Amino acid sequence: MNVLGIVTEYNPFHNGHEYQIKQLKEQTNADYCIVAMSGNFLQRGIPSILDKYNRTKMALLQGADLVIEIPSVWACSSAEYFANGGVNALLNTGVITHLGFGAETTKLTMLKTLAKIFVEHAPSIQSNLFSTVRSGKNYATARASSLNDLIAFVSANDTLTNSINSGDIHLLELAESNIDEILNSSNNILAIEYLKVLYKQNSSVIPVSLPRKGGTYNTPTITGKFSSATSIRNSIFDGENSNWIDAVPSSTKDIILNNEQVLVHEDDISSMLGYKLFLEKGKKYDTYADCSIELSNKIEKNIYDYEDFTQFRHLLKSKDVTYTRLSRILLHILLNIKKTDYELGKDLDYTPYLRILGFNKESKDLLGHIKHNCSIPMITKVANAYNILDSKTYSFFENDIYTSDIYNQIILNKFRDSSLLKNEFTHQIVIV
Amino acid sequence: MNVLGIVTEYNPFHNGHEYQIKQLKEQTNADYCIVAMSGNFLQRGIPSILDKYNRTKMALLQGADLVIEIPSVWACSSAEYFANGGVNALLNTGVITHLGFGAETTKLTMLKTLAKIFVEHAPSIQSNLFSTVRSGKNYATARASSLNDLIAFVSANDTLTNSINSGDIHLLELAESNIDEILNSSNNILAIEYLKVLYKQNSSVIPVSLPRKGGTYNTPTITGKFSSATSIRNSIFDGENSNWIDAVPSSTKDIILNNEQVLVHEDDISSMLGYKLFLEKGKKYDTYADCSIELSNKIEKNIYDYEDFTQFRHLLKSKDVTYTRLSRILLHILLNIKKTDYELGKDLDYTPYLRILGFNKESKDLLGHIKHNCSIPMITKVANAYNILDSKTYSFFENDIYTSDIYNQIILNKFRDSSLLKNEFTHQIVIV
């Protein structure tokens, strides 16, 4: 039995996602597709446009057979933690045979080699490379310098040279490749992180990459049938045209139109975020995940100019901190995700439970296989979690409940309609 | 030199307040009137309709000569703490000769006797009396029982009997009075608390009471030229008529109409409050001032039915907890006012600094007198406070800064206009 796993966000689910599931299923000859999806807050440091249950439904209606939730601590974290949360969740099912993902490059071997080098030998080189590439300024110099760093490091290390020579790709080939261009694409960066997890776990799961179709990750405007999720969200909130409708499956369209009253914009967190920032003024924000003391000071110095989430992210932006990282840090402050939560999550091997968000009726066999192979507790009802999980694991799981509470409050505050009150403890799993 | 002090809220300043200042000034032959006013959050457990600077201006334009701020920890506390905050602030000026206040009863001697008994002998009797009176149900029984308790207590206590007999009022007279009716009026309750502070401080300041003119404290609809502040706020937010204009001096009218874009409704705190409640779900709320463990449990039990401030107060309401107390507790949770803040404030004798909000140009002499007589630091610029106050006092003062930060965020969130950004550190004192 072949089972394809994909790490996703679906914010919202669009034609590119449908194409990806279909192509990867064909390519891997998969009987089932399991999706590890972010909950209500995302890797980009923003709330999702629709809650996880609606997004689960979108996926199940277009080719996914089972949706599990990436723990919220990892769902809005940097690529490395996000990948660990997503891939480990999939591996924990005990049934996936293939891991599919999008990548800008077609050179999967190159990505695997980089993943191997980063895991085995050069975490600091990786971080240097990423930050040099990301700094953006003086691109040619940065590129040459990071490339040289990597080659120098690899050459100076006999074991590494041998392992690479005897491995998938020759050192020279690596040196001749355009590493910077590879590392400058968000899908490639994520792909390398996924591959690192597989490599670290010595997993037999087979990675399968697929080039993106249509607009890249960040394209702001609709580019046709295959458009970026960003452009689709922009078009939805813009409201002036309905171009986005052509970029999503009709099931997604219906779900969005049926839920127009609960669509969440990034800046809908502004009021709560401002409150939280002032609540802790003077107490330093560097206990929050990913926040340095320098950034904590900068937040405090600028706090009286806080207007809203987007404006404040722009205000804090500087060359050495990406906009996305800033978004995530502010989200960590809002959601109370601290460095100690990261530590606890790592202690618990990232994904100490399998939270089922929904499944396809026809995949009952799949659930049976998972129950048989999965070595961690499976949560289908939140109300049962307290009895199923040990206390450390439950306290990690509480982050998922809490972030949903906040998300539901955002909806309630925006629409002031008590019929929109939702509750993780009573919400039903999605079955289509 | 006669100087009249008044403890107030002015939410907003109306004809009754103008009448009170004028009458009390005449009655006491006062040269000046100093007002100790609540800042942006009030004794009733709600945010003020306009910020403290605008309310200061209203007062200074209609008879007040100097406005000082009641520390925010006490401003939104129960009658006893509120009175301690207000009266001590006035006494700290070192210049007031008279303390004026409204009272439903004309029997000032009776109020003084009750204050004396409560201070000297029967704090527990006081609390029993208040709660019996407030319980409301089975009024006749409650009244008889609390009266009997008091008489029994006084009779059983020789010292007390003597002190009362030789004092202002005879025990029999006390027994024959309608104590319950007296204790059932919010102004009388406050008056007794003011008198308790004077008595405890062995103060030579002369108390002067004045019956209310027009609608009582809680009357919801405009009753004419003299209407309650509640009815005026209701009429302003109602927007359908402008009856409220006749109930306020023209200067108040102008200030309100000029600030229509920043008028704050009680439920404008709903979004932040909901966020804060969920932020601390599972951690117990009984570290917050005035919150019992029972109420903390009740909040947690009902949290998933939270819709907004008003709805949640109604939901939590029960016979043994007043609506106002519930409002204050929720406000304490929002503003982070904890039991430890009460303890710190009491350690610091309630009002360890004199915060000037504004003054009348013609009262420069008064300020000179205060500087000469005041034994605590005077704050006219918030930016200087850190250097003027010792660290414990500054940490108490930070509550005033913080509550203003939150208030300003409420305005910003409501109106999303960055020109409304305000800051305690740069805001000018009001001079008219």
Side-chain angles (χ1 to χ4, degrees):
Chain A
M1 187 181 81
N2 281 358
V3 181
L4 168 69
I6 305 178
V7 180
T8 63
E9 299 208 303
Y10 297 156
N11 185 42
F13 190 96
H14 57 51
N15 290 336
H17 297 128
E18 187 190 5
Y19 169 82
Q20 189 193 43
I21 293 181
K22 204 176 159 206
Q23 288 290 314
L24 286 171
K25 261 186 162 176
E26 267 181 37
Q27 225 170 301
T28 58
N29 198 23
D31 303 286
Y32 298 109
C33 171
I34 302 179
V35 155
M37 192 185 77
S38 301
N40 295 328
F41 294 91
L42 309 177
Q43 216 253 320
R44 190 183 270 255
I46 55 171
S48 55
I49 188 168
L50 261 176
D51 74 17
K52 55 192 180 189
Y53 299 103
N54 277 300
R55 282 159 42 241
T56 294
K57 201 171 166 191
M58 291 174 180
L60 293 174
L61 290 173
Q62 296 297 331
D65 298 294
L66 177 75
V67 181
I68 56 182
E69 182 174 358
I70 302 170
S72 60
V73 168
W74 310 129
C76 46
S77 287
S78 63
E80 187 175 357
Y81 291 119
F82 175 76
N84 267 289
V87 176
N88 279 309
L90 291 171
L91 294 180
N92 277 334
T93 61
V95 300
I96 70 157
T97 53
H98 294 78
L99 179 70
F101 46 81
E104 283 86 356
T105 180
T106 50
K107 295 179 184 171
L108 184 57
T109 314
M110 167 68 78
L111 296 177
K112 282 164 85 173
T113 306
L114 282 167
K116 192 171 170 180
I117 293 175
F118 293 150
V119 170
E120 286 297 329
H121 308 280
S124 68
I125 288 265
Q126 173 184 11
S127 118
N128 282 344
L129 271 176
F130 280 12
S131 62
T132 312
V133 169
R134 275 171 173 159
S135 70
K137 199 187 152 196
N138 207 349
Y139 185 74
T141 322
R143 182 178 144 184
S145 125
S146 60
L147 189 56
N148 288 338
D149 278 359
L150 184 64
I151 294 171
F153 181 84
V154 173
S155 310
N157 189 317
D158 283 348
T159 332
L160 186 57
T161 313
N162 292 336
S163 96
I164 290 176
N165 287 346
S166 63
D168 304 309
I169 194 167
H170 192 278
L171 179 59
L172 259 184
E173 204 182 326
L174 186 70
E176 281 160 8
S177 304
N178 193 341
I179 295 180
D180 293 280
E181 205 171 292
I182 289 176
L183 295 184
N184 208 21
S185 310
S186 26
N187 280 302
N188 288 343
I189 289 174
L190 273 174
I192 292 171
E193 295 299 342
Y194 297 152
L195 293 165
K196 278 171 64 186
V197 182
L198 291 186
Y199 183 77
K200 276 192 284 186
Q201 305 273 26
N202 197 19
S203 169
S204 61
V205 164
I206 303 158
V208 192
S209 75
L210 186 76
R212 268 189 86 88
K213 185 125 187 161
T216 63
Y217 188 53
N218 285 305
T219 314
T221 49
I222 297 282
T223 50
K225 191 168 176 280
F226 291 96
S227 293
S228 72
T230 305
S231 69
I232 293 169
R233 292 195 304 276
N234 289 347
S235 172
I236 291 172
F237 285 118
D238 183 26
E240 284 189 11
N241 57 56
S242 47
N243 287 347
W244 63 271
I245 287 177
D246 298 329
V248 301
S250 71
S251 55
T252 294
K253 182 199 75 184
D254 292 343
I255 292 172
I256 290 176
L257 294 178
N258 285 337
N259 289 281
E260 271 184 316
Q261 79 279 23
V262 292
L263 297 181
V264 170
H265 186 272
E266 298 173 24
D267 279 332
D268 293 334
I269 68 168
S270 295
S271 138
M272 292 175 175
L273 177 63
Y275 172 78
K276 185 74 186 300
L277 290 172
F278 278 103
L279 186 69
E280 303 192 348
K281 180 166 71 87
K283 287 174 194 157
K284 300 297 173 207
Y285 307 97
D286 63 328
T287 52
Y288 292 101
D290 217 22
C291 186
S292 65
I293 184 67
E294 291 75 23
L295 199 61
S296 169
N297 292 336
K298 196 169 183 182
I299 291 172
E300 186 154 346
K301 198 179 155 198
N302 289 282
I303 196 166
Y304 281 113
D305 292 318
Y306 179 86
E307 292 173 34
D308 59 47
F309 181 42
T310 296
Q311 167 267 356
F312 203 53
R313 287 182 288 177
H314 281 294
L315 186 69
L316 296 178
K317 178 79 195 75
S318 63
K319 272 168 213 155
D320 55 333
V321 188
T322 64
Y323 188 70
T324 309
R325 187 173 156 220
L326 276 171
S327 306
R328 278 197 294 261
I329 290 169
L330 293 173
L331 207 59
H332 291 158
I333 294 175
L334 177 80
L335 300 177
N336 233 27
I337 295 176
K338 304 203 167 180
K339 286 173 177 157
T340 49
D341 293 301
Y342 271 30
E343 293 312 314
L344 176 62
K346 285 193 271 184
D347 276 357
L348 296 167
D349 291 330
Y350 293 96
T351 51
Y353 49 82
L354 198 69
R355 169 83 194 275
I356 310 286
L357 289 176
F359 60 87
N360 193 317
K361 269 180 207 150
E362 288 117 53
S363 67
K364 270 187 185 162
D365 281 359
L366 178 64
L367 267 176
H369 282 293
I370 293 174
K371 271 179 196 156
H372 192 257
N373 287 282
C374 175
S375 56
I376 53 167
M378 195 190 287
I379 301 173
T380 47
K381 275 188 183 168
V382 172
N384 295 341
Y386 189 78
N387 297 321
I388 296 173
L389 306 177
D390 65 70
S391 62
K392 269 175 94 172
T393 304
Y394 189 76
S395 87
F396 188 67
F397 177 64
E398 281 186 306
N399 287 295
D400 295 358
I401 301 175
Y402 175 65
T403 51
S404 289
D405 288 343
I406 300 301
Y407 190 85
N408 294 333
Q409 282 295 307
I410 292 168
I411 294 175
L412 180 69
N413 291 325
K414 187 168 183 178
F415 303 99
R416 285 275 152 241
D417 172 357
S418 63
S419 73
L420 301 174
L421 280 178
K422 283 184 185 174
N423 178 343
E424 278 287 270
F425 288 91
T426 54
H427 206 296
Q428 296 292 314
I429 200 170
V430 180
I431 303 172
V432 302
Chain B
M1 185 179 80
N2 281 358
V3 181
L4 168 70
I6 305 178
V7 180
T8 63
E9 299 208 303
Y10 296 157
N11 186 39
F13 190 95
H14 56 51
N15 291 335
H17 298 128
E18 187 190 4
Y19 169 84
Q20 186 192 45
I21 293 181
K22 206 177 158 203
Q23 288 291 314
L24 286 171
K25 259 185 160 175
E26 266 181 41
Q27 223 170 299
T28 58
N29 198 23
D31 301 287
Y32 296 108
C33 171
I34 302 179
V35 154
M37 193 184 77
S38 301
N40 295 328
F41 294 91
L42 308 177
Q43 216 252 320
R44 188 184 274 253
I46 56 170
S48 55
I49 189 169
L50 261 176
D51 73 18
K52 56 192 181 188
Y53 298 104
N54 277 301
R55 281 159 43 240
T56 293
K57 202 172 166 190
M58 291 174 180
L60 293 174
L61 289 172
Q62 295 298 331
D65 296 296
L66 178 74
V67 180
I68 56 182
E69 182 174 356
I70 301 170
S72 60
V73 167
W74 310 130
C76 46
S77 286
S78 63
E80 185 174 359
Y81 290 121
F82 176 76
N84 267 289
V87 176
N88 279 311
L90 290 171
L91 295 179
N92 277 334
T93 61
V95 300
I96 70 157
T97 53
H98 294 76
L99 179 70
F101 46 81
E104 283 86 356
T105 179
T106 50
K107 296 179 182 170
L108 185 56
T109 315
M110 168 67 81
L111 297 178
K112 281 164 86 173
T113 305
L114 282 168
K116 195 171 167 181
I117 294 175
F118 292 149
V119 170
E120 287 297 332
H121 306 280
S124 68
I125 287 267
Q126 173 184 11
S127 117
N128 282 344
L129 271 175
F130 281 11
S131 61
T132 311
V133 168
R134 275 170 175 161
S135 69
K137 200 187 149 193
N138 205 350
Y139 185 75
T141 321
R143 184 177 144 186
S145 128
S146 61
L147 190 56
N148 288 339
D149 278 359
L150 184 65
I151 293 170
F153 182 85
V154 171
S155 312
N157 190 318
D158 284 349
T159 331
L160 185 58
T161 313
N162 292 335
S163 98
I164 288 177
N165 287 344
S166 62
D168 303 308
I169 193 165
H170 193 278
L171 181 58
L172 259 185
E173 200 180 328
L174 185 69
E176 281 159 7
S177 303
N178 193 343
I179 296 181
D180 292 280
E181 203 170 294
I182 290 177
L183 295 184
N184 208 21
S185 310
S186 25
N187 281 303
N188 289 343
I189 289 174
L190 273 173
I192 292 172
E193 294 299 341
Y194 297 151
L195 293 165
K196 278 172 65 185
V197 182
L198 291 185
Y199 183 77
K200 275 192 285 185
Q201 303 272 25
N202 196 18
S203 170
S204 61
V205 164
I206 303 156
V208 192
S209 75
L210 186 76
R212 268 189 87 89
K213 187 128 186 157
T216 63
Y217 188 53
N218 285 304
T219 314
T221 49
I222 297 283
T223 49
K225 192 168 177 276
F226 291 97
S227 293
S228 72
T230 304
S231 70
I232 293 169
R233 291 195 304 276
N234 288 348
S235 172
I236 291 171
F237 285 118
D238 182 27
E240 282 189 12
N241 58 56
S242 48
N243 288 348
W244 63 271
I245 287 178
D246 297 328
V248 301
S250 71
S251 55
T252 294
K253 182 198 76 183
D254 292 343
I255 292 172
I256 289 174
L257 293 178
N258 285 336
N259 288 281
E260 271 185 313
Q261 79 280 23
V262 292
L263 297 181
V264 170
H265 186 273
E266 298 174 24
D267 279 331
D268 292 335
I269 67 169
S270 295
S271 139
M272 292 175 176
L273 177 63
Y275 172 77
K276 186 71 186 304
L277 291 173
F278 277 102
L279 186 67
E280 303 191 350
K281 180 168 70 87
K283 287 174 193 155
K284 302 294 173 206
Y285 306 98
D286 62 328
T287 54
Y288 292 102
D290 217 21
C291 186
S292 65
I293 184 65
E294 290 76 21
L295 199 60
S296 169
N297 292 338
K298 196 170 184 183
I299 292 173
E300 188 156 342
K301 199 180 154 197
N302 289 282
I303 194 165
Y304 282 113
D305 292 318
Y306 178 87
E307 291 174 35
D308 59 46
F309 181 41
T310 296
Q311 167 268 355
F312 203 54
R313 287 182 288 176
H314 282 293
L315 186 67
L316 296 178
K317 179 80 193 74
S318 62
K319 273 168 212 154
D320 56 332
V321 187
T322 65
Y323 190 69
T324 309
R325 185 170 158 223
L326 276 172
S327 306
R328 278 197 296 260
I329 289 169
L330 293 174
L331 207 60
H332 291 157
I333 294 174
L334 177 81
L335 300 176
N336 234 26
I337 296 176
K338 304 201 167 184
K339 287 175 175 154
T340 49
D341 292 302
Y342 272 29
E343 293 312 314
L344 177 62
K346 286 192 271 183
D347 275 357
L348 295 167
D349 291 331
Y350 292 95
T351 52
Y353 49 81
L354 198 70
R355 170 82 194 275
I356 310 285
L357 287 176
F359 59 87
N360 192 317
K361 269 180 205 146
E362 287 118 53
S363 67
K364 270 188 186 162
D365 280 0
L366 177 64
L367 266 178
H369 282 294
I370 293 174
K371 270 179 198 158
H372 193 258
N373 287 285
C374 174
S375 56
I376 53 168
M378 194 189 287
I379 300 172
T380 48
K381 275 186 182 169
V382 171
N384 295 342
Y386 189 78
N387 297 321
I388 295 172
L389 305 178
D390 65 67
S391 62
K392 268 175 97 172
T393 305
Y394 189 76
S395 87
F396 188 66
F397 177 65
E398 280 185 306
N399 287 296
D400 296 358
I401 301 175
Y402 175 64
T403 51
S404 289
D405 289 342
I406 300 301
Y407 190 85
N408 295 333
Q409 283 295 306
I410 292 168
I411 294 175
L412 180 69
N413 291 326
K414 187 167 183 180
F415 303 100
R416 284 274 153 238
D417 171 357
S418 63
S419 73
L420 301 174
L421 281 177
K422 283 185 185 170
N423 177 343
E424 277 287 272
F425 288 92
T426 54
H427 206 297
Q428 296 292 313
I429 200 171
V430 180
I431 303 172
V432 303

